Amino acid sequence: MSGPNTNYDPVEVAALEPAAVQAAVDAALAAIAAASSLDELKAARTAHQGEKSPLALANREIGALPPSAKAEAGKRVGQARGRVGQALAARQAELEAERDERILVEERVDVTVPALRRRLGARHPIELVAQRLVDSFVGMGWEVAEGPELEAEWLNFDALNLGPDHPARQMQDTFFLDPVDSGLVLRTHTSPVQIRTMLEKEPPIYIVAPGKVFRTDDLDATHTPVFHQIECLAVDKGLTMAHLRGAIDAFVQIMFGEGTRTRVRASYFPFTEPSMETDFVCFACHGSGSTTPGSAAQCRTCGGSGWIELGGSGMVNRKVLAACGIDPDVYSGFAFGLGIERALMLRHGVQGMHEMVEGDVRFSQQFGMEV
Ligand code: PHE
C-alpha cells in the first residue's frame, strides 16, 4: 500500500487531469451509446465502470493526493463516474425496453389460430358392447375363450352333434374352403369354442367366447356375411336350467339395463337338450306391445309381441359332454349364444346393417369416444 507522499505533485498524476478524466468520460459515453445490445452494454460497463476502468483507476489515485488536492480531484472523478453511471442506466433501460418490445413481437402467440387437431378413432360399438359383456363375466369369475375363425368342419358341426346328414347342418349357410375335402369352414357360430374348451379343460368350466362368425348371406338391411356372436358355456356339478336362466338374466341386464326381464321358449339345437330360445322384454314398450300404454298401435321395435328374440340356449347335450370326455352323470352344463349386431341394432335403432359394417368413425362416435 502506498503511503501519502508529501512531495507529490497532483498535476503529475495524469489520470486525474481534467482532460484525461474528460477523455475517459467521452470514451465511456461513446461506448455506451454504441452498445446496441444488452451484451454489448455489459462489456461497456466492465470497460468503463468496472474495477479496471480508467475512472476506477483514477479514483484509486485520489487517496494518494495531498489533502489540498483531494477535494477537487475527488469531485471531478466523482462527477465523471456519476455521468457514466447515469448513461449506463439510461442505455440499460432503453435496451431492455427494446428487448421487451422485440420479444412481444417475436414470441407472439395467436390464440385464435385453429389448433392442429389429430382426429381420434373410436372403438366400434360392437367391440364396446362385447368388451362390456366380457368384462362383466370376467368380473364374476368367468374366463375368456377364443377359437379360430377358420375352423375345422368337425368342430363347427360334427362335435356339436350336427352330423353330416343332420338337417340343421343345412340351416347354417356355410362358407366351405377349397378344396372341398379340406375339412375347413369359416365358422358359422362361436359354439365350436365350447368343444375346444371342453376338450382342453377339466370342469368346472365357465367361459365367455366373443368373436366373428360367417354365413353366406348377402349384405342387406338386416344381414351381413360377417357378424359377431358372444357365447357363454358353463360345465360344473349340479348345474340346472335355473342357473342358465340366472346367467342369461345377468347377461341381458348388462347389455340392456337393469330390470330387463327374459323368458324362454322351447327350441331345438342338436348340441343342447333341452334347447331354448331366449327373449327379453322389449325395451321400447316394456312388454306392453303398443306404442303408448293402452293404445292399439303396435310397438315397432318388437312388432307388438312385447318380446325381442335374443338367441339360442340350452343344457349341454349329454352326447356332447361325453364326446368331449366329460362324464354326463357327474357334470352338467349350459350354454347360450347371441348375435351382437342384431341386439345392438335393436337397442340403438340402427337403421341398416350397412352402418354397422362400413367403418365410418362418425357412426362409432355416436356410441361414445372410447378409444
Ligand atoms: N350357436 C347357436 C347359433 O348360432 C346358438 C346357441 C349357442 C344355441 C349356444 C345354444 C347354445 O344359432
Side-chain angles (χ1 to χ4, degrees), residues 102-254:
R102 195 175 58 246
I103 285 175
L104 278 181
V105 173
E106 280 172 6
E107 298 181 9
R108 185 178 55 195
V109 174
D110 183 351
V111 294
T112 66
V113 169
L116 280 175
R117 218 174 279 157
R118 193 178 298 168
R119 289 193 51 154
L120 285 179
R123 275 159 67 192
H124 197 277
I126 291 183
E127 177 67 22
L128 285 180
V129 76
Q131 218 49 59
R132 197 165 76 230
L133 287 161
V134 165
D135 283 353
S136 306
F137 271 69
V138 166
M140 295 189 286
W142 295 51
E143 281 177 71
V144 183
E146 276 171 326
E149 290 165 8
L150 193 56
E151 184 57 284
E153 195 177 345
W154 185 82
L155 288 165
N156 193 79
F157 293 122
D158 304 67
L160 286 160
N161 202 27
L162 278 141
D165 301 321
H166 200 291
R169 194 144 164 167
Q170 273 79 59
M171 271 159 54
Q172 298 191 345
D173 310 307
T174 311
F175 282 112
F176 292 92
L177 245 81
D178 270 345
V180 186
D181 60 359
S182 71
L184 291 171
V185 297
L186 287 177
R187 66 176 177 192
T188 57
H189 51 178
T190 41
S191 297
V193 181
Q194 289 188 31
I195 305 298
R196 287 180 170 273
T197 309
M198 286 190 282
L199 287 174
E200 202 177 286
K201 286 192 174 138
E202 298 290 317
I205 290 170
Y206 290 87
I207 56 138
V208 51
K212 277 197 186 78
V213 301
F214 308 83
R215 295 191 194 176
T216 59
D217 288 320
D218 288 330
L219 181 63
D220 66 20
T222 51
H223 295 89
T224 159
V226 184
F227 58 104
H228 296 75
Q229 285 189 339
I230 188 160
E231 177 138 354
C232 291
L233 165 75
V235 182
D236 206 342
K237 286 181 181 156
L239 289 183
T240 68
M241 283 180 67
H243 298 111
L244 170 58
R245 294 279 331 248
I248 289 175
D249 274 348
F251 192 91
V252 163
Q253 305 216 7
I254 294 160

Side-chain angles (χ1 to χ4, degrees), residues 22-43:
Q22 185 59 48
V25 171
D26 291 347
L29 295 185
I32 291 165
S36 61
S37 69
L38 286 164
D39 281 344
E40 285 177 28
L41 188 65
K42 193 175 171 195

Side-chain angles (χ1 to χ4, degrees), residues 24-25 28-29 32 48-49 55 79-89:
V25 171
L29 295 185
I32 291 165
H48 299 283
Q49 197 186 42
L55 286 175
Q79 281 177 346
R81 297 180 87 197
R83 283 179 63 196
V84 172
Q86 276 173 10
L88 277 169

